[in-house]
Amino acid sequence: MKFPTPKRKIITEAAQSLTFSRRAMVVGGLQGLVGAMLVGRMAWISIAQNEKYTLLSESNRVNLTLIPPRRGWIIDRNGRPLANNRTDFRVDLIPQRMLDADSTVRQLARLLSLQPDEVDRIHEELEKSAGFRPVQVADKLTYDQYAAISVRLPDLPGVAPSQGFSRNYPAGASVGHLLGYVGAATAEEYKARKDPLLITPGFKVGKDGLEKAFDLHLTGKPGAKRVEVTARGKIVQELTTRPDSPGRSIKLTIDAGLQEFAGRRLATQSGSVVVIDCHNGDVLALASMPSFDPNSFSDGISHLEYEMLSKDDHVPLRNKTLQGLYPPGSTVKPMVALALLEAGISPAETVSCGGAIRVGNTLFHCHKRRGHGPLNMRGAIAQSCDIYFYQMAQRIGMDPIASMARRVGMGQKFPLPFPSQSYGTVPDPAWKQRKYDQKWQVYDTVNATIGQGYMLINPLQMAVMAARLATGRQLMPNFIFGAPNARPEPVGVSEEHLVVIRDAMNAVVNGGGTGGAARSSIPGVMIAGKTGTAQVRRITMAERAGGVRGNAGLPFKLRDHALFQGFAPFDNPRYAIACIIEHGGHINRIEDAPMIASDTLSYLFDPKKAMEKLETLEKGWGGTPAERQARQMAAFRLAKAIEKGQAPPPVANAADNTAAGNIAAPAPTPAGEADDVPPPPGSNMAGER
């Protein structure tokens, strides 16, 4: 089979030119399309997305840094600062920008001469920072220290020195529990608010007390700073700065001088003092001691100092004025007497006190072993006779007493700007049935009548009770100066009965009663009040038979609480006061509740005279609270160094060892230990004063 021979294609110069032109047009078209795409993309980037890429390029050259706003001041009723701001140099670490944390911290420790416990704190906070939270290294730096860090920034990635403001508390520990403190925001706080200000170095939020309650009010608006930097982060020049707007200030009802005086007058004791203006309920002082220095917490407290505070058996980390609960002891007797009067019992009716009374199968004692003999209501309050109240309370029952207790403020929840409070207990038959599913017994009434058993109170409630007894009105405690308050309602008792109670409270102090130590040193000013002793342990019959051990011979935690509530002047009440000394036991008259209350009230009438007395007394106590705490910290630091083998033990009889208490560390106390548990109902009471 023959295949046809294909026709041979003739290629001419014209055909070749046409083919080339066609291909050139396709290639040219493709090039034009690519060029158009490039031009379009460039136009999109340079025009439509100009702002985006301008910001991105600018961020490579310029750092935008938020400037933390200055917190608003907290001032007292006279405009004196309780919390303000000071200018200082500081250094922080930004964990997510660090390359070698250990090396960086070592260099900073060398440059700033940091203590080992400070280095430990920094390492621990770096582990908890979650990468974004700034960690404070140090503040209050000198300019030379600040400069030494600044010139080494290229070699210290993640280090952020700054010049700004830090919180300052001029009164120190005296306002620790009242104001609280500030600190860096936690990871939880940042996740909840998503506010970049919270992770700005130097910015702090309120952590406790009034700082926390009014945090948003005190926080201002941040400023901003634009700084030109090199590729390695070295600052070239500062471009523009927008200043911050400070937060709003808060004016409290507190009297700064009185607050500091009350804190210092509590001396070496563990206790609290509350002073209220009887005209409007303004709280003039709310002191709880020992306390912590809020400056230490705001600056970043060291592990060693926190350990010392947490192990102190005087519990300086607890706000005793609002969180401490105590059996009120005999300070409730004026209130109980008022309930007796309202129930129809005559103040002239007498009861013979023989030193003890049997209720059921239990013998209840008076604090005076041989008894007081026959006493009417005035004498029973003045001498704090338990037998009088045991017998009278059984006649009217617990319900009228509980009702009166609530009317004078016991167990009441006050609307206060504090994160946490304890409200105490006013027991009655319905309460016991509801809480324990048990019936109320006669011995429950007897115990409650003298402020023991289930009855509990905090110092602020005790001061409110004193103010309501003094005025006959249901005053409410107030902390914001000038806040509008409605006229308080009457307590709902006869003014004639109130006069009887006030006269009896005057006899406690000025008529040979149990509160003679509270007598005023200010001419023309008489203090009326009521003392109290709150038992914290059960006295067995065996111990009573062999002789009850005095408080001086008991361990600290087993001693009775010492209490005093009252008002002044007696004839025209202006100020009400409450003072509770934990485990004071009435051992030291000068550091006992009645005299502390008297001196604190005297400051309101003659500040100069009161301060002269206080300064004289402090010489015997080892100085001011700040001076005593500094020595305690030095001793604790030395004890820890000896324990770790970093320092030799002290040489016996060395001249420097003037006091063993300055070497030994405080006895540890388990966290959250409840040391104010009342004796069980029906216990054999020692009697109250």
Side-chain angles (χ1 to χ4, degrees), residues 267-268 588 590-591 613-624 627-628 631:
T268 62
N588 185 333
I590 293 177
E591 297 184 33
K613 179 179 180 180
L614 176 61
E615 289 169 357
T616 301
L617 291 173
E618 282 184 329
K619 294 177 182 178
W621 298 333
T624 65
E627 293 169 342
R628 297 197 302 270
R631 284 198 300 273

Side-chain angles (χ1 to χ4, degrees), residues 674-687:
D675 59 336
D676 300 320
V677 179
S683 60
N684 198 12
M685 309 303 296

Side-chain angles (χ1 to χ4, degrees), residues 21 50 57 325 440 462 470 480 524 536 624:
S21 297
N50 176 66
S57 62
L325 290 178
W440 188 265
M462 183 177 291
I480 305 303
V536 299
T624 65

Side-chain angles (χ1 to χ4, degrees), residues 346-605:
S346 169
E349 187 174 346
T350 62
V351 168
S352 181
C353 171
I357 184 176
R358 184 169 295 279
V359 178
N361 60 357
T362 304
L363 193 64
F364 286 82
H365 294 262
C366 187
H367 70 86
K368 188 172 182 179
R369 189 170 184 177
R370 296 183 180 180
H372 292 94
L375 289 172
N376 59 13
M377 183 178 288
R378 184 178 188 273
I381 293 176
Q383 300 302 321
S384 200
C385 176
D386 298 322
I387 303 300
Y388 176 92
F389 289 94
Y390 291 157
Q391 293 195 24
M392 289 298 188
Q394 291 181 67
R395 288 170 54 178
I396 69 171
M398 188 62 200
D399 283 328
I401 297 173
S403 174
M404 185 61 67
R406 296 186 183 98
R407 285 150 70 184
V408 297
M410 294 182 64
Q412 186 171 355
K413 298 181 180 181
F414 305 120
L416 303 178
F418 287 90
S420 60
Q421 303 173 53
S422 299
Y423 301 107
T425 303
V426 176
D428 59 22
W431 173 88
K432 186 177 181 182
Q433 187 69 43
R434 183 174 62 252
K435 187 172 181 64
Y436 296 108
D437 195 22
Q438 296 176 2
K439 290 185 177 181
W440 188 265
Q441 303 296 332
V442 176
Y443 58 73
D444 290 324
T445 300
V446 171
N447 268 336
T449 299
I450 60 168
Q452 292 278 178
Y454 299 114
M455 191 170 280
L456 293 172
I457 196 172
N458 70 36
L460 178 62
Q461 290 171 335
M462 183 177 291
V464 170
M465 175 170 64
R468 292 184 180 182
L469 290 174
T471 64
R473 294 192 168 274
Q474 296 184 11
L475 289 168
M476 296 292 286
N478 171 50
F479 283 88
I480 305 303
F481 186 82
N485 290 323
R487 180 173 174 80
E489 296 293 326
V491 171
V493 296
S494 165
E495 180 63 26
E496 181 183 352
H497 292 164
L498 284 170
V499 169
V500 172
I501 299 303
R502 293 168 192 154
D503 178 61
M505 294 176 71
N506 180 45
V508 170
V509 178
N510 306 295
T514 57
R519 190 170 298 173
S520 174
S521 60
I522 306 300
V525 176
M526 297 180 71
I527 298 174
K530 184 68 190 79
T531 56
T533 304
Q535 188 176 308
V536 299
R537 70 188 184 99
R538 179 173 182 173
I539 300 175
T540 64
M541 292 300 295
E543 181 182 353
R544 192 174 296 281
V548 178
R549 294 175 63 187
N551 281 291
L554 292 172
F556 175 73
K557 289 289 184 178
L558 296 182
R559 297 173 188 166
D560 299 335
H561 298 315
L563 309 94
F564 182 87
Q565 60 101 342
F567 53 87
F570 155 68
D571 52 353
N572 184 23
R574 176 63 195 276
Y575 306 110
I577 191 168
C579 178
I580 297 181
I581 304 299
E582 283 187 342
H583 309 293
H586 301 294
I587 296 173
N588 185 333
R589 179 181 173 89
I590 293 177
E591 297 184 33
D592 200 3
M595 191 172 288
I596 291 174
S598 175
D599 287 349
T600 303
L601 287 174
S602 71
Y603 178 90
L604 291 164
F605 298 98

Side-chain angles (χ1 to χ4, degrees), residues 11 51 73 85-86 156 192 211 241 249 301 525 542 553 572 584 593 674:
I11 300 176
E51 184 177 356
W73 285 24
N85 305 302
R86 64 171 184 270
L156 296 171
E211 288 278 23
T241 299
S249 295
I301 191 169
V525 176
N572 184 23

Side-chain angles (χ1 to χ4, degrees), residues 291-312:
S291 180
F292 57 88
D293 187 348
N295 292 299
S296 295
F297 275 78
S298 298
D299 296 341
I301 191 169
S302 68
H303 285 288
L304 200 62
E305 184 175 355
Y306 186 82
E307 183 182 0
M308 179 193 75
L309 293 172
S310 62
K311 288 186 174 181
D312 193 330

